[in-house]
Amino acid sequence: EVQLVESGGNLVQPGGSLRLSCAASGFTFNNYAMSWVRQAPGKGLQWVSVISGGGAISYYADSVKGRFTISRDNSKNMVFLEMNSLRGEDTAIYYCARAPILRGIITRGGDFWGPGTLVAVSS
Amino acid sequence: SYELTQPPSVSVSPGQTARITCSGEALPKKYVYWYHQRSGQAPVLVIYDDDKRPSGIPERFSGSSAGTKATLTISGAQVEDEGDYYCYSTDSSGNRGVFGGGTKLTVL
């Protein structure tokens, strides 16, 4: 059974940092790209970042580039999102999702999502 | 920045056909994915690669894409199909994912 479980969400002050984790099981982890998607309270989905199966390639939304870093540990079947210089507009539920890779394309839509973890940025 | 445009809401009676559109300049060359999200739950993929249905998704869900517009069709919509629907694709570079603003489907 495919499982994705996010953790690390918390209340943090503006300008602070946080590291989100996503534990994966039930599939061959390094065969999939992994992405982060967020959803602010009452708002729509926003794509944040994606990392390739081997971890060598990553892409970011303009709104987080330079502040967030995605990484993965294939030996532990985990993907991470390091978030720095957090702002109020980063407040959201953060979902991790696995994305099948086809012909080298890693930005395909996620086919399975975790339940999410809540990040709140406030003083 | 690249955008995908969806209607804010669609309403149908049970058993009717619901159609939700998604417009974007890069769609002629990029696949579209559709997600269903019920309140308080994670999104669920209902259509991938424009018109393919994942296992476990009812046959009443179908997708199509022509030119700069993609369409999710729910033939014989049921009450359990209510919720928010989002389209997803990438910009022309293929390096940035983008979601549409979402469409709230009401079946009553």
Side-chain angles (χ1 to χ4, degrees):
Chain A
E1 178 192 6
V2 174
Q3 282 199 334
L4 296 172
V5 180
E6 304 91 340
S7 61
N10 209 336
L11 173 63
V12 61
Q13 292 188 338
S17 298
L18 210 55
R19 188 195 200 204
L20 304 184
S21 301
C22 173
S25 60
F27 61 99
T28 304
F29 186 64
N30 59 6
N31 283 355
Y32 288 82
M34 296 298 295
S35 63
W36 288 96
V37 176
R38 68 185 181 183
Q39 187 170 34
K43 302 297 184 181
L45 301 174
Q46 182 185 23
W47 179 82
V48 173
S49 181
V50 66
I51 189 167
S52 61
I57 302 170
S58 59
Y59 301 122
Y60 299 90
D62 289 343
S63 57
V64 307
K65 195 170 186 180
R67 300 188 299 123
F68 290 11
T69 302
I70 192 171
S71 62
R72 64 190 295 162
D73 183 340
N74 286 350
S75 69
K76 297 180 179 178
N77 287 4
M78 295 195 70
V79 61
F80 308 99
L81 188 67
E82 187 78 36
M83 304 186 295
N84 298 316
S85 303
L86 284 162
R87 308 165 180 166
E89 54 263 37
D90 297 318
T91 295
I93 296 173
Y94 283 73
Y95 298 100
C96 74
R98 74 169 196 180
I101 301 171
L102 182 66
R103 295 191 292 269
I105 298 171
I106 67 172
T107 50
R108 300 177 75 219
D111 66 350
F112 192 86
W113 298 49
T117 187
L118 178 61
V119 172
V121 183
S122 176
S123 55
Chain B
S1 61
Y2 183 58
E3 292 183 353
L4 296 174
T5 301
Q6 298 180 233
S9 63
V10 168
S11 182
V12 298
S13 299
Q16 288 189 327
T17 296
R19 294 182 178 85
I20 300 172
T21 59
C22 173
S23 298
E25 291 184 356
L27 293 188
K29 294 189 175 181
K30 300 299 181 186
Y31 282 131
V32 172
Y33 304 78
W34 290 95
Y35 296 91
H36 177 208
Q37 185 180 37
R38 294 187 176 95
S39 180
Q41 297 186 17
V44 173
L45 179 70
V46 295
I47 293 290
Y48 69 99
D49 292 354
D50 289 347
D51 57 8
K52 298 178 178 58
R53 196 173 53 249
S55 61
I57 300 301
E59 292 184 4
R60 62 180 180 274
F61 288 87
S62 63
S64 63
S65 187
T68 59
K69 187 166 75 174
T71 303
L72 172 69
T73 301
I74 308 173
S75 303
Q78 301 183 9
V79 173
E80 60 259 36
D81 299 332
E82 285 193 329
D84 296 319
Y85 288 83
Y86 296 91
C87 61
Y88 168 87
S89 187
T90 66
D91 65 5
S92 57
S93 75
N95 298 342
R96 299 287 185 276
V98 179
F99 284 93
T103 299
K104 182 176 183 61
L105 175 66
T106 302
V107 183
L108 54 74

